Amino acid sequence: MVSAAAPVPASPLRELSRRYAGYRARLVAAVVLSTVNKVADVVPELLIGAAVDVVVRGDRSFVADVVGADSRYEQLVWLAVVNALVWVVESVSEYLAALTWRRLAQTIEHDLRVEAYAHVQQLDVAWHETRPAGTTLATLNDDVNQLERFLDVGAAAILQTVLNVVLVGLVFAAASPTLLVLAFAPIPVIVAGSLVFQRRLDPLYARVRETVADLSGTLSANLGGITTIKAFTAEGRERDRVASASLAYREANEAAIRSSAAFVPLVRIAILVGFTCTLLIGGFQVLDGTLEVGLYSVLVFMTQRLLWPLTAVAEVLDLYQRGRASAGRILGLLAVPVTVQPGEVLLAEPAGRIELRGVRAGYADGPDVIHDLDLVVPAGETHAVVGPTGSGKSTLLRLVLRFEDPRAGTVLLDDVDARDLEWATVRGAMGYVSQDVYLFSGTVADNIAYGRPEATREEVERAARAAEASAFVEAMPQGYDTPVGERGVTLSGGQRQRLALARALLRDPAVLVLDEATSAVDNETEAAIQRSLGLVTAERTALVVAHRLSTVRHADRIWVLDAGRIAESGTHDELVAAGGAYAQLWAVQTGDLGVRSTPA
C-alpha cells in the first residue's frame, strides 16, 4: 500500500527549530555576535554627533564632561581612538557572525539532506514507484539548498533589522520622544505591508516549488531515457517539453518576483516621510533651542540608519517565503509514514524455508492482485513461479522480499512471520537478481561487492566464477577494476545479468530470488546462467520467476499463477502430462501445438 501524504506543519521553520534544538548554543552564539556587530555599527553615528558637539560647544561638550579634557583637539583625538576601537570590534564581530551563521546553515543543510535521504530510503517501494523521481530529487537537492540560503542570509538579515530598529529607537527615545514617534510612524505601514505581501507571496512560492519539481522530474526522466529519445528522433519534441516546463518555472518565479519587487516603492515612500519629519521637526527644535545640534546630527543620520535597511525587507521576505515553502516540502517528505517496518527477531542462520499463507495483496487502493494464495518452498529446494503477464508473479516476489506487506495473510521465513523479523534476517537472507539489473557507477569489483563491501578480492573473483562472469571480466582492459559506467551502460545485457548474479552469490544467501533473470539475454548467456544456477542452487533455496519455461523445467516444483491464484503446481513432467495451463504454455514456447488440455 502506498504511504499517504503527510500534512505539512503550519509553521515549517518553527518545526525545524524544534527538530534541531541541539544547535541552539550555536544559534545563541550567532545572535550574540550579530548583536555586538549591530551595536558597533550604530556607535559611529553617535560619534559623529559627539564630534559636532565638540566643534560647536567646546569645553561644554559631552566629551569634555566624560574625559575631562577642555581642548577641542584633545577631545577629537579621544573620539578618533574610540572610533578606531569600534571599527575593530565591528569588523571582527561581523566576520565571526558571518562565519557562525554560515556554519550553522551548512550544518543544518547537511543534516537535513542526510535525514531526508535516509527517510526516503526507508519508504515503501510502492511509494517510490508512484512518485516521480525528479520530485523527490528536487526536494532533497533544490529545496534543501533554498532553505540553507535563508538560514545563511535571511535569518541574520531579519535579526539585524530588528536590532537596528531597537537600538535606533533607544537613541531617539533618549534624544527626542517627539521625533521618536514621527520617525517610527512609517514602520507600522511597512510591517502591515509585509504581512499583506507575505500572504500574497505564500501561494506564489508554493507554485515555484511545484514547477521546479516538475522541471527536475522532466530533466531526470529524459536523461535516463536518452537512448529512447534518440532512437525515435524525438529530440525536438523533448526539447519543447523541457522548454515548456522551464517556461512554467520562469513564469512562476516572475509572478513571485513582481509581487516582492512591488514592496520596495512602498518602503521608499515610508523612508521619505520619516526622514522629512526628522529633518524639519528636528531642525525646528534646534532653532528653538530645545535640541542640541549634535543630537540633531545624530538623529538625521539615525533616521537613514533606521529606515533605509527596510528596503531590504522585500529581499528578506523573498528568502523567507522560499525557505518556508522549501521547509514545508522537506518536512512533508519527512512526515510520510514508513508502513513496512522491520521487526525485532534475528535468525542467526536462516535455513531458507518460505511459506505464504492465505495471502492477499495489491497496489495502492486498487483491487487485489493476489487472492488467498498458499505456497510453500521447503529449504534447499528450487521452486519456480510461472504464468501469463499480470498473473501476480512479480507481486509475489515483492512480498517475499518484503518490499511490501500483504493486505491479509502471512509471509513466513523459517516459520516466522516476516513482519517480526529484522531486516538483517529478511533481506540479509536474500540474494536478489532482477530482470532490470541496476549497476552503480564504479568498478566491476565494486558492483559485485555491493552487498558485502568488506569482501576480499579473492571472494569477489570466486563469486564471478560461480556466475560464469570471470571470463569476460578478465578480458576487460582493467579486469575487475574496469569502470562500468552509470547503470552499467558499458556492458551488454548478458554481462550485467551475470554480474548481478555474482553480486547476489557473494552474499551467500539462504534464498536466491530470481525475477525473469534470463528473459532478456541470448541463448549462450542463458545457458551460462543456467549452468551457474544449477551449481549454486544445489544447497540453497531458490525462488525463480520465469517467462522461458525451459529455464525452470528442472525445478523441484513449478507453481502456475493465473489471475493471482494458484492454477496448478507440480514438476515439469507432471504438469505437461496434466495437459493444463502449464502444458499449453509449454506447447506455445516449444512449438508443439499438438498438446491439448485434458478434458475436465
Side-chain angles (χ1 to χ4, degrees):
M1 184 171 62
V2 179
S3 301
V8 177
S11 180
L13 295 176
R14 185 179 302 169
E15 174 63 17
L16 276 181
S17 175
R18 186 192 65 78
R19 291 177 73 94
Y20 292 101
Y23 295 121
R24 199 156 289 161
R26 296 192 197 183
L27 178 62
V28 170
V31 170
V32 169
L33 287 168
S34 290
T35 303
V36 171
N37 176 250
K38 179 51 64 176
V39 171
D41 188 44
V42 169
V43 169
E45 275 85 356
L46 297 175
L47 295 179
I48 290 173
V52 172
D53 190 49
V54 167
V55 171
V56 173
R57 300 176 62 199
D59 58 1
R60 294 179 294 108
S61 70
F62 173 76
V63 176
D65 294 338
V66 173
V67 302
D70 294 335
S71 169
R72 287 187 173 92
Y73 295 100
E74 188 177 350
Q75 293 177 44
L76 291 174
V77 169
W78 273 104
L79 289 177
V81 171
V82 172
N83 184 64
L85 292 174
V86 168
W87 276 95
V88 169
V89 171
E90 181 183 7
S91 299
V92 172
S93 62
E94 182 175 10
Y95 167 75
L96 294 176
L99 193 64
T100 305
W101 279 112
R102 288 175 183 175
R103 282 180 173 173
L104 179 62
Q106 292 290 333
T107 301
I108 291 177
E109 176 192 29
H110 167 75
D111 289 355
L112 191 58
R113 179 178 284 119
V114 172
E115 181 184 359
Y117 174 73
H119 180 72
V120 165
Q121 284 193 136
Q122 300 302 317
L123 294 175
D124 313 344
V125 173
W127 181 89
H128 287 279
E129 292 173 343
T130 57
R131 177 182 170 96
T135 302
T136 305
L137 181 62
T139 302
L140 294 174
N141 190 35
D142 193 61
D143 280 324
V144 174
N145 288 340
Q146 289 286 353
L147 181 59
E148 182 270 337
R149 187 178 174 212
F150 168 71
L151 295 174
D152 184 6
V153 179
I158 291 173
L159 176 63
Q160 292 276 5
T161 301
V162 172
L163 288 172
N164 190 70
V165 170
V166 171
L167 293 173
V168 173
L170 292 174
V171 174
F172 267 85
S176 173
T178 301
L179 292 180
L180 170 68
V181 173
L182 294 174
F184 275 67
I187 293 181
V189 177
I190 296 173
V191 172
S194 299
L195 295 176
V196 171
F197 274 85
Q198 178 180 332
R199 285 195 296 269
R200 183 175 179 181
L201 287 172
D202 204 5
L204 294 178
Y205 279 113
R207 176 60 182 160
V208 169
R209 306 306 326 131
E210 292 172 5
T211 54
V212 75
D214 291 342
L215 177 59
S216 179
T218 301
L219 290 171
S220 177
N222 282 20
L223 291 175
I226 193 67
T227 54
T228 303
I229 292 173
K230 287 181 172 293
F232 287 90
T233 60
E235 292 92 340
R237 187 166 69 251
E238 292 303 329
R239 179 200 172 279
D240 292 342
R241 196 152 69 92
V242 170
S244 176
S246 181
L247 179 62
Y249 176 51
R250 189 189 77 180
E251 289 175 346
N253 259 310
E254 287 178 349
I257 290 169
R258 279 195 300 270
S259 292
S260 62
F263 187 63
V264 176
L266 173 66
V267 177
R268 287 183 176 274
I269 292 173
I271 291 173
L272 174 62
V273 172
F275 185 76
T276 301
C277 287
T278 303
L279 188 68
L280 290 178
I281 306 302
F284 294 161
Q285 289 181 344
V286 172
L287 295 176
D288 293 340
T290 58
L291 182 66
E292 295 293 341
V293 66
L295 279 177
Y296 175 62
S297 302
V298 170
L299 297 181
V300 169
F301 280 109
M302 284 289 184
T303 304
Q304 288 279 60
R305 168 69 66 183
L306 170 68
L307 299 177
W308 186 253
L310 296 179
T311 56
V313 168
E315 181 180 354
V316 173
L317 190 61
D318 182 88
L319 290 173
Y320 171 78
Q321 287 298 339
R322 288 177 184 268
R324 185 172 182 274
S326 293
R329 286 166 59 89
I330 296 166
L331 291 173
L333 179 61
L334 285 169
V336 175
V338 179
T339 58
V340 181
Q341 297 276 7
E344 298 179 355
V345 178
L346 179 64
L347 302 180
E349 295 183 4
R353 183 181 187 277
I354 297 171
E355 181 178 359
L356 283 75
R357 294 179 185 168
V359 167
R360 290 194 305 108
Y363 297 98
D365 297 324
D368 287 349
V369 176
I370 289 179
H371 310 270
D372 300 319
L373 188 143
D374 294 302
L375 181 150
V376 178
V377 183
E381 291 191 6
T382 296
H383 283 217
V385 180
V386 302
T389 300
S391 60
K393 301 186 298 296
S394 294
T395 303
L396 186 151
L397 290 192
R398 291 159 68 99
L399 294 170
V400 170
L401 291 161
R402 220 185 151 219
F403 288 161
E404 57 188 84
D405 288 326
R407 292 173 175 174
T410 309
V411 178
L412 301 103
L413 176 62
D414 290 358
D415 297 318
V416 181
D417 190 331
R419 284 171 288 208
D420 297 331
L421 295 171
E422 287 188 349
W423 291 134
T425 293
V426 179
R427 294 176 186 166
M430 307 286 177
Y432 177 53
V433 182
S434 67
Q435 178 181 1
D436 183 19
V437 173
Y438 192 98
L439 297 180
F440 295 89
S441 181
T443 66
V444 170
D446 292 337
N447 275 280
I448 294 177
Y450 187 76
R452 273 187 62 202
E454 74 283 0
T456 65
R457 177 56 65 91
E458 182 182 353
E459 291 173 323
V460 168
E461 293 177 2
R462 189 184 306 128
R465 287 193 296 272
E468 295 209 13
S470 57
F472 78 81
V473 171
E474 291 167 1
M476 291 179 169
Q478 296 171 262
Y480 287 90
D481 295 319
T482 303
V484 300
E486 188 173 359
R487 296 186 67 90
V489 293
T490 62
L491 303 176
S492 69
Q495 290 172 332
R496 289 197 295 270
Q497 284 287 2
R498 280 185 269 187
L499 289 185
L501 180 57
R503 179 168 61 188
L505 295 178
L506 183 60
R507 300 189 77 180
D508 191 23
V511 181
L512 191 60
V513 179
L514 305 176
D515 186 5
E516 303 274 16
T518 62
S519 63
V521 299
D522 56 43
N523 291 333
E524 181 182 352
T525 301
E526 179 185 350
I529 293 176
Q530 288 306 312
R531 287 195 299 271
S532 302
L533 292 177
L535 295 174
V536 301
T537 59
E539 297 180 354
R540 60 168 51 90
T541 307
L543 183 60
V544 183
V545 163
H547 174 70
R548 295 181 184 177
L549 302 185
S550 60
T551 64
V552 298
R553 62 180 300 178
H554 300 298
D556 295 296
R557 191 170 204 61
I558 298 171
W559 302 84
V560 183
L561 283 185
D562 186 14
R565 291 182 169 87
I566 300 293
E568 54 185 346
S569 68
T571 65
H572 170 79
D573 293 338
E574 290 171 348
L575 292 173
V576 170
Y582 181 87
Q584 291 301 306
L585 289 172
W586 178 255
V588 170
Q589 291 191 16
T590 60
D592 184 10
L593 300 180
V595 176
R596 292 290 182 269
S597 298
T598 301

